[in-house]
Amino acid sequence: SQQGEEDPQALSIQEGENATMNCSYKTSINNLQWYRQNSGRGLVHLILIRSNEREKHSGRLRVTLDTSKKSSSLLITASRAADTASYFCATVPLSQGAQKLVFGQGTRLTINP
Amino acid sequence: GAGVSQSPRYKVAKRGQDVALRCDPISGHVSLFWYQQALGQGPEFLTYFQNEAQLDKSGLPSDRFFAERPEGSVSTLKIQRTQQEDSAVYLCASVVTGSQPQHFGDGTRLSIL
C-alpha cells in the first residue's frame, strides 16, 4: 500500500507559469524525495530533503517539508514544455532499515506551449 | 552503459506462463530494488538486495514471485503461473549505498493475456 497522497492528481498550466504539487504522508520519515517520470520511462531523481530540513532548492525546483503536518510541496518555477511528466514524492520511513521508497500516487503535469 | 538496464522492455505472456525479467544495475552499486507500478499509480516496493543477499522481500505479492541476485550484480525477477493481475510495469533501481538517491531503469511492461 502506498504511503501518501499527492494533490492535485493532474495539473495543466501554460508555459512560463509556476507549478505547485503537494504530497502528504502518514508515518515519520528519514527523508523525502521527489522523482519525475516521463511517459514509458523510469523515474529520475530530482531532489532529496532530509527530515531536519525545511526547504531546499535545485535550479528551478523548490521543495518544502513540514514534518509536523507530514506534508511536502514541490514548486517548479518558469515551467517549460519539457517539464511535462508525472511527479512522485517518495518517503523513506524512519522504521525502515533499508532505503526502500514508499511512493505517492503522483501528479500528472502538463505544460501547454 | 552508464544507467540501469532492464530487459525485455515489453513482455506479453499468456496466463499461466512463467516469465523472467532482468535487471543490470549500475556497476558497483551495492543495493538493488524491484518495484511494481500499476497503470496510473506510483511504484510499490517488491524486494531489496544488498549485494547477493535478499534482505527484504516483504512486498512480493505471492509465492509465485521470486527474485535472485546470485553474484551481487545482475538480478532476475521471476513470476510463475502468471495471472492477469500481474500486468504492470516492473521497475528496477540501484543505489551506491546508504541513503543516496535511487537510479531507475526504464522498466519492463508486462502484459498477461
Side-chain angles (χ1 to χ4, degrees), chain A residues 2 37 40-42 99-101, chain B residues 9 37 42 56 98 102 105-106:
Chain A
Q2 290 172 315
Q37 185 177 37
R41 304 299 299 274
Q99 296 293 312
K100 69 184 188 187
L101 298 172
Chain B
R9 284 297 317 278
Q37 185 175 25
D56 187 342
Q102 297 186 15
D106 284 339

Side-chain angles (χ1 to χ4, degrees), chain A residues 1-2 31 33 35 37 40-43 45 48 50 88 98-101 103-105, chain B residues 9 33 35 37 40-45 48 56 58 91 98-99 101-102 104-106:
Chain A
S1 60
Q2 290 172 315
N31 63 67
Q33 304 176 32
Y35 286 80
Q37 185 177 37
R41 304 299 299 274
L43 285 83
H45 179 263
L48 181 154
R50 302 189 190 284
F88 295 92
Q99 296 293 312
K100 69 184 188 187
L101 298 172
F103 286 88
Q105 293 186 331
Chain B
R9 284 297 317 278
F33 298 81
Y35 295 88
Q37 185 175 25
Q41 301 292 314
E44 293 203 11
F45 169 80
Y48 156 67
D56 187 342
S58 61
L91 295 165
S99 61
Q102 297 186 15
F104 282 80
D106 284 339

Side-chain angles (χ1 to χ4, degrees), chain B residues 5-8 11 17-24 32-37 44-49 54 56-57 59-70 73-80 82 86 88-93 107-110:
Chain B
S5 177
Q6 292 188 245
S7 61
K11 176 69 179 177
Q17 289 183 329
D18 298 348
V19 298
L21 313 179
R22 177 187 170 103
C23 172
D24 281 90
L32 184 147
F33 298 81
W34 283 98
Y35 295 88
Q36 180 189 59
Q37 185 175 25
E44 293 203 11
F45 169 80
L46 293 177
T47 187
Y48 156 67
F49 290 85
Q54 189 175 19
D56 187 342
K57 54 182 181 179
L60 296 177
S62 75
D63 58 7
R64 297 185 295 104
F65 286 70
F66 172 76
E68 60 183 5
R69 194 186 184 197
S73 56
V74 172
S75 177
T76 303
L77 176 66
K78 298 178 179 178
I79 309 174
Q80 298 176 325
T82 52
D86 299 335
V89 174
Y90 290 85
L91 295 165
C92 174
T108 294
R109 182 175 298 275
L110 176 64

Side-chain angles (χ1 to χ4, degrees), chain A residues 5-113:
Chain A
E5 298 182 359
E6 295 188 55
D7 167 50
Q9 291 190 1
L11 178 62
S12 181
I13 60 174
Q14 294 301 119
E15 195 167 19
E17 294 180 340
N18 296 341
T20 299
M21 290 160 270
N22 302 295
C23 165
S24 62
Y25 57 92
K26 298 175 183 173
T27 63
S28 296
I29 61 171
N30 185 314
N31 63 67
L32 184 144
Q33 304 176 32
W34 285 89
Y35 286 80
R36 183 187 74 223
Q37 185 177 37
N38 289 85
S39 181
R41 304 299 299 274
L43 285 83
V44 174
H45 179 263
L46 296 175
I47 197 164
L48 181 154
I49 186 165
R50 302 189 190 284
S51 59
N52 61 353
E53 297 176 308
R54 291 296 167 258
E55 187 172 311
K56 205 161 183 180
H57 297 256
S58 176
R60 294 184 296 113
L61 305 180
R62 172 178 170 255
V63 168
T64 62
L65 178 64
D66 186 334
T67 52
S68 66
K69 295 181 179 178
K70 292 186 169 59
S71 66
S72 174
S73 67
L74 171 67
L75 169 67
I76 303 174
T77 60
S79 62
R80 306 167 181 170
D83 295 330
T84 294
S86 291
Y87 291 81
F88 295 92
C89 69
T91 56
V92 177
L94 200 58
S95 60
Q96 300 294 333
Q99 296 293 312
K100 69 184 188 187
L101 298 172
V102 181
F103 286 88
Q105 293 186 331
T107 292
R108 191 169 60 255
L109 176 65
T110 302
I111 308 299
N112 301 303

